[in-house]
């Protein structure tokens, strides 16, 4: 298909065939209240220096607060945390209602029972069409739970049912 005939629905439909993990990027607003958003765009960026990245839409009110604070924690969701994914995908305001969290090493919200978390200082924020490409300099990172991740694929949620990494670790 030529780019000149591309419409948003086709873009979403085709790109939806690429599976992604699901993470919550969380920080604190100036009043110390938790803010955050669900992203499917979290990725590892660089080993030296250690950088990770994600792509928030330019309209994201939650990212605007995170940007002001200059730090965030990435919470990688497990297969049984779809409810957290949905809560943090709501418009800003009531996302954390009913959700437990504790301060991570950088003070940003760490959600319970996530697979792993990555504490970051905001390193760069580059316009990329209607999104930003944000990189974070990794300050700390931890595995909390040996659980299968939550995955998003073709508009629905699922998980990973492939090889057992621990059983094959000696290969
Ligand atoms: C599985 C999933 C993945 C998402 N990935 C992104 C993403 O990578 N970037 C983004 O800006 N929004 C993404 N969203 C939508 C945001 O979570 C949602 O628009 C945002 O939380 C709205 O709140 P805000 O305006 O306060 O930012 C995703 C939503 C879901 C359910």
């Amino acid at each position: 298909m030529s780019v000149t005939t591309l419409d948003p629905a086709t873009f979403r439909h085709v790109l939806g065939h690429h599976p992604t993990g699901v993470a919550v990027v969380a920080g604190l607003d100036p009043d110390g209240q938790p803010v955050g958003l669900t992203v499917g765009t979290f990725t590892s960026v660089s080993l030296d220096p250690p950088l990770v990245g994600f792509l928030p839409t330019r309209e994201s009110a939650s990212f605007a607060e995170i940007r002001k604070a200059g730090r965030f924690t990435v919470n990688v969701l497990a297969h049984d945390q779809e409810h957290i994914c949905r809560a943090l995908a709501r418009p800003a305001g009531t996302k954390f209602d009913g959700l437990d969290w504790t301060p991570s090493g950088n003070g940003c919200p760490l959600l319970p029972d996530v697979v792993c978390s990555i504490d970051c200082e905001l390193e760069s924020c580059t316009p990329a069409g209607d999104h930003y490409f944000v990189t974070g300099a990794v300050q700390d990172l931890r595995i909390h739970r040996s659980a299968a991740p939550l995955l998003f694929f073709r508009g629905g949620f699922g998980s990973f049912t492939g090889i057992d990494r621990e059983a094959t670790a000696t290969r």
Side-chain angles (χ1 to χ4, degrees):
M1 172 175 291
S2 115
V3 169
T4 51
T5 62
L6 194 68
D7 69 275
T10 302
F11 185 90
R12 282 204 189 91
H13 179 67
V14 174
L15 272 295
H17 287 65
H18 171 65
T20 72
V22 182
V24 167
V25 177
L28 296 175
D29 73 10
D31 298 324
Q33 294 304 307
V35 291
L37 70 158
T38 296
V39 299
T41 52
F42 172 67
T43 187
S44 168
V45 173
S46 162
L47 194 56
D48 183 17
L51 299 174
V52 294
F54 66 100
L55 290 103
T57 174
R58 288 206 200 200
E59 273 89 49
S60 171
S62 301
F63 175 66
E65 296 297 335
I66 289 169
R67 189 179 187 183
K68 275 188 252 169
R71 64 172 59 94
F72 57 87
T73 292
V74 179
N75 294 262
V76 175
L77 298 186
H79 64 95
D80 54 359
Q81 297 187 307
E82 188 180 324
H83 61 293
I84 297 179
C85 163
R86 290 186 185 281
L88 269 293
R90 292 198 298 252
T94 57
K95 297 185 183 213
F96 282 85
D97 287 4
L99 285 184
D100 286 335
W101 62 274
T102 54
S104 193
N106 63 358
C108 296
L110 172 65
L111 298 164
D113 299 325
V114 294
V115 173
C116 62
S117 63
I118 302 106
D119 290 350
C120 299
E121 294 287 330
L122 200 150
E123 169 86 4
S124 69
C125 181
T126 309
D130 54 10
H131 283 60
Y132 294 112
F133 180 50
V134 177
T135 62
V138 176
Q139 310 296 302
D140 192 17
L141 70 178
R142 282 157 207 261
I143 296 169
H144 300 276
R145 186 179 164 205
S146 179
L150 183 63
L151 301 180
F152 191 68
F153 176 60
R154 288 172 59 181
F157 294 96
S159 190
F160 184 70
T161 54
I163 56 168
D164 180 340
R165 296 285 299 166
E166 286 180 9
T168 57
T170 55
R171 280 186 195 166

